[in-house]
Amino acid sequence: MHMNMTSLAVPNPQFVSDWLRASSRSPFESAKTILFFYVVSTQSLKLYRHLRARGLGLSIAQGWLWIAKQALLLAIKLPSAQKKIREEMGKVRLDIEDKLVPKGAEVSRHLSLPAEGKSVEWILEEMAKMDRELGPHADWRHGKISGAVYHGGDDLSRVLVAAFERYAVSNPLHPDVFPAIRKMEAEIVSMCLRMYNNPDGAGTMTSGGTESIIMAIKTHRDWAREVKGITEPEMIVPATAHAAFDKGAAYMGVKVHMIPVDPVTRKVNLKHVRRAINCNTIMLVGSAINFPDGNQDDIVALGELAAKYKVGLHVDCCLGSFIVPFLEQTGLANGEGGGSRYKLYPFDFTVRGVSSISCDTHKYGFAPKGSSVIMYRDAALRRYQYYIAPNWTGLFLIIMLKRCHSFHLTWRIGGVYGSPSLSGSRPGALIAGTWAAMQYMGSDGYLESCRQIVTCARLIANTITSSIPELYVLGSPPASVVAFASKDEDVNVYEVGDKMSKKGWHLNALSRPAAVHIACTRLTLSVVDTFIADLKESVEEAKMAPSGKGTMVALYGLGSSSAVGPTMVGEVAGIFLDTLYKA
């Protein structure tokens, strides 16, 4: 006989009611019983939703992994194990400090304010000295880096410096004092909305892709709470989505259902997404393109699900930014040879169900670092992003003082504080720099940049496919990122990455599967042939003489070594973050 799984998870209310009437119980005992059934039913429902989202097999595997992790964590608390861990982590700390913190008698350290102010000449010379302290390998100008520096050229850099100089002290918190900054920010948002085919939409600027994503989560959470009454929000995220979604969910108190991707196409598994949707779902997430392997989720299918179940859909275009909107005009969006390889599928506000999109202006828009745009389908949804405190006394006093100063006395009940995003004060110079970069580049500049960068990325991908049999490209990346993994059991791709590091390359390692990626930029264009030659040589070296001691091999090997591997990697990450603040 078929039985609905939900009926097993939640007790029948009629059964509970009949059982209570049949029992001669005091009101207090009945209340305890009702509370017991309420707790059991709500927790059972949560368990059912969790199982439905992940499937029985994956849930059992995750449960077993959790048990193994707890057992190992208990084991490593033994004094002998703790001593060994402290010794190893001490070595890791020294290794990280050696790579990041300059040492030697010639290194100057400025740990206290100088007794007297320094001249401009001294300051510039000291900056130049600090640039040289870690050696020439730290110079991004050689182009041997993955992403990181999105350089629009020396002429554009001079434009940015001029904008910074003009608006160095500006703050959009005071639009009456800096009206040009307010206007520029509004125009930046408008230009991005038109790039993503939603001229009547709304948005704001933020400090970067992470803040844009966090704002999208906050907006959908508050929208769902007011419109749908959801108090225990959940979101559904592909495993390849940026870590900022986990970070934002942690900040905003939203449960995350992490959905696996297809191992071949690298698109999120739609069957699992559909299964994970429930009455607490506030939003789905898709990427165009994702950070790890540069592939695109099926935004159209995700949009249909979002529309059907009346939930939000956020499309993360932080990395796709000023590449994917221009691909169609370059003739590169339809794939190679008329096939599906490298084909770009619809991703913007023309897709039904898309409610928000994040776009980093500071990547392929070549704006100064610290600028991004979060866009919404309409202004009504954007209102849920705002923070407004209507009864704050601070701004009330400022308003009254300003009015008293100009002899306009007005009685008010209270003050008000409002901000569109996380920050209150913001650097207007970044807004001015972003506006200047977009005006300087124009559509024709971004179009040509897109063509050059994507052509460069496809040259790398095609060369790996045709000329490096030990490796394969993950998925069918349509834009600027190429990730490669090993299909030869004698070649550890992390070993390849470490060999590339010795040749001066700064690449990104990935996991699940083990892989390495490069995000091509304008800096990559002049060294793409060198990259291909170095990659071929590194594969041979990794095959013939693996060292097993490189950073990628050690760190990512640790992460997959046991159930506590990720915990140990987390400890290493904490040491790395500590080191960033070692003067």
Side-chain angles (χ1 to χ4, degrees), residues 432-450:
T434 301
W435 184 89
M438 294 173 75
Q439 295 299 319
Y440 180 84
M441 290 295 297
S443 291
D444 60 339
Y446 288 125
L447 190 65
E448 183 58 26
S449 173
C450 170

Side-chain angles (χ1 to χ4, degrees), residues 106-182:
E106 71 283 357
V107 175
S108 300
R109 304 196 184 280
H110 313 282
L111 306 180
S112 302
L113 281 171
E116 297 179 353
K118 304 293 187 180
S119 68
V120 173
E121 292 75 18
W122 181 92
I123 291 170
L124 294 176
E125 176 55 36
E126 195 64 17
M127 288 178 174
K129 179 182 175 183
M130 287 191 283
D131 284 340
R132 297 189 297 266
E133 284 175 346
L134 278 176
H137 68 280
D139 187 358
W140 55 266
R141 291 173 182 83
H142 56 44
K144 290 187 170 185
I145 52 177
S146 171
V149 178
Y150 297 85
H151 185 46
D154 292 338
D155 288 343
L156 177 54
S157 292
R158 284 188 282 272
V159 172
L160 299 182
V161 170
F164 268 59
E165 183 177 26
R166 185 177 183 88
Y167 295 102
V169 300
S170 62
N171 182 355
L173 188 64
H174 304 285
D176 54 334
V177 181
F178 304 105
I181 294 298
R182 184 216 63 79

Side-chain angles (χ1 to χ4, degrees), residues 409-428:
L409 294 173
T410 303
W411 291 100
R412 289 171 60 88
I413 296 173
V416 61
Y417 171 89
S419 66
S421 54
L422 284 178
S423 300
S425 291
R426 292 180 290 143

Side-chain angles (χ1 to χ4, degrees), residues 224-344:
R225 181 168 54 204
E226 180 174 310
V227 175
K228 305 178 76 173
I230 294 175
T231 57
E232 296 184 352
E234 301 179 8
M235 54 191 284
I236 300 170
V237 179
T240 50
H242 197 279
F245 287 100
D246 286 291
K247 185 177 184 178
Y251 283 1
M252 296 296 162
V254 178
K255 179 177 179 177
V256 175
H257 292 290
M258 192 69 68
I259 306 300
V261 299
D262 184 280
V264 177
T265 67
R266 308 300 296 166
K267 298 177 186 291
V268 68
N269 187 310
L270 293 170
K271 179 180 177 182
H272 284 73
V273 171
R274 188 181 299 107
R275 241 173 28 192
I277 297 173
N278 61 59
C279 62
N280 282 331
T281 303
I282 63 169
M283 63 187 292
L284 313 179
V285 170
S287 302
I289 54 177
N290 71 50
F291 173 83
D293 52 54
N295 284 283
Q296 173 193 11
D297 289 309
D298 189 341
I299 304 302
V300 173
L302 289 171
E304 290 300 318
L305 287 174
K308 178 180 178 180
Y309 292 99
K310 295 180 174 57
V311 299
L313 170 58
H314 179 80
V315 181
D316 179 19
C317 290
C318 287
L319 187 53
S321 62
F322 285 64
I323 295 287
V324 291
F326 292 94
L327 265 176
E328 186 173 354
Q329 296 176 59
T330 64
L332 295 171
N334 294 321
E336 286 195 348
S340 61
R341 185 169 175 79
Y342 308 138
K343 183 177 176 63
L344 180 73

Side-chain angles (χ1 to χ4, degrees), residues 319-398:
L319 187 53
S321 62
F322 285 64
I323 295 287
V324 291
F326 292 94
L327 265 176
E328 186 173 354
Q329 296 176 59
T330 64
L332 295 171
N334 294 321
E336 286 195 348
S340 61
R341 185 169 175 79
Y342 308 138
K343 183 177 176 63
L344 180 73
Y345 295 90
F347 61 89
D348 58 18
F349 284 108
T350 59
V351 177
R352 176 173 177 257
V354 171
S355 53
S356 61
I357 296 176
S358 50
C359 166
D360 280 1
T361 43
H362 68 196
K363 287 191 173 74
Y364 295 103
F366 309 120
K369 275 295 180 183
S371 65
S372 178
V373 172
I374 172 66
M375 296 171 278
Y376 298 102
R377 184 166 288 278
D378 54 49
L381 184 58
R382 180 180 61 182
R383 288 293 294 271
Y384 293 99
Q385 178 179 300
Y386 299 162
Y387 176 79
I388 299 174
N391 296 308
W392 185 52
T393 59
L395 191 58
F396 166 70
L397 292 175
I398 294 172

